[in-house]
């Protein structure tokens, strides 16, 4: 099942250096809706027995695969926003996240109106690298009475520490494609 994305990455992905893969022709800038549909179907197959009530993603590139997943599961999608400074507003949950790739700090925020006590949440994101963005989303949810049922990742770079950090918290992760190495300008999958 994961081959459709590996094939696409092999065809259209560009290795920028041994850490970064560019996929802006189908995921990060131009978006291939048929590919997003297949990704949504794969996440549904993997997570459908978990009685998910909500899909949560982080803007911007997580939105397309998360929307397709939420259609498949028949539940709403909630988008956590990135802001420069913290919001002085009691009606938001928020946490600070460090981006290693972009070397900046931002606040991840979501309105309290859209996370309910009884929510069982599936987090979807486009890349898993250092894991900090997803860990921020989990921190927010763990501060509520809602629960995290799992994390769905489109492209995991398994040579970076994100997966380990999530597994250490007992999180169920499913990645559609897992990249073992980008060394020597070559894409090697797990
Ligand atoms: P983390 O979230 O796993 O800790 O990783 P990190 O801070 O390093 O990643 C920051 C941003 O860089 C994220 O996008 C992430 O998706 C993206 N990113 C990380 N590695 C790669 C890569 O190899 N290729 C591409 N194309 N992107 C990568 P973002 O800032 O959330 O951007 P966007 O979702 O608003 O587009």
């Amino acid at each position: 099942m994961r081959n459709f994305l590996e094939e696409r990455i092999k065809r259209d992905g560009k290795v920028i250096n041994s850490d970064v893969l560019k996929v802006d022709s189908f995921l990060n800038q131009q978006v291939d809706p048929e590919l997003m549909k297949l990704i949504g179907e794969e996440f549904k197959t993997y997570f459908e027995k978990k009685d998910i009530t909500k899909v949560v993603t982080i803007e911007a590139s997580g939105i397309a695969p998360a929307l397709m997943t939420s259609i498949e599961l028949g539940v709403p999608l909630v988008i956590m926003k990135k802001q420069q400074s913290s919001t002085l507003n009691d009606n938001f949950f928020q946490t600070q996240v460090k981006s290693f790739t972009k070397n900046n700090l931002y606040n991840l925020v979501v309105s309290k109106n859209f996370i309910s006590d009884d929510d069982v949440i599936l987090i979807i994101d486009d890349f898993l690298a250092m894991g900090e963005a997803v860990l921020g989303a989990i921190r927010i949810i763990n501060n509520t009475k809602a629960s995290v049922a799992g994390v769905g990742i489109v492209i995991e770079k398994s040579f970076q520490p994100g997966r380990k950090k999530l597994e250490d918290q007992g999180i169920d992760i499913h990645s559609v494609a897992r990249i073992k190495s980008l060394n020597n300008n070559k894409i090697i999958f797990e």
Side-chain angles (χ1 to χ4, degrees), residues 32 44 50 81 100 111 133:
D32 180 337
K44 177 193 177 178
K50 293 205 155 188
K81 309 265 187 173
F100 289 93
S111 165

Side-chain angles (χ1 to χ4, degrees), residues 21 28 60-61 82 99-102 127 129-133 157:
L21 175 74
N28 289 135
S61 300
K82 294 172 186 158
S99 167
F100 289 93
T101 306
K102 299 195 170 163
F127 268 92
M130 306 304 283
E132 292 301 316
K157 294 186 291 181

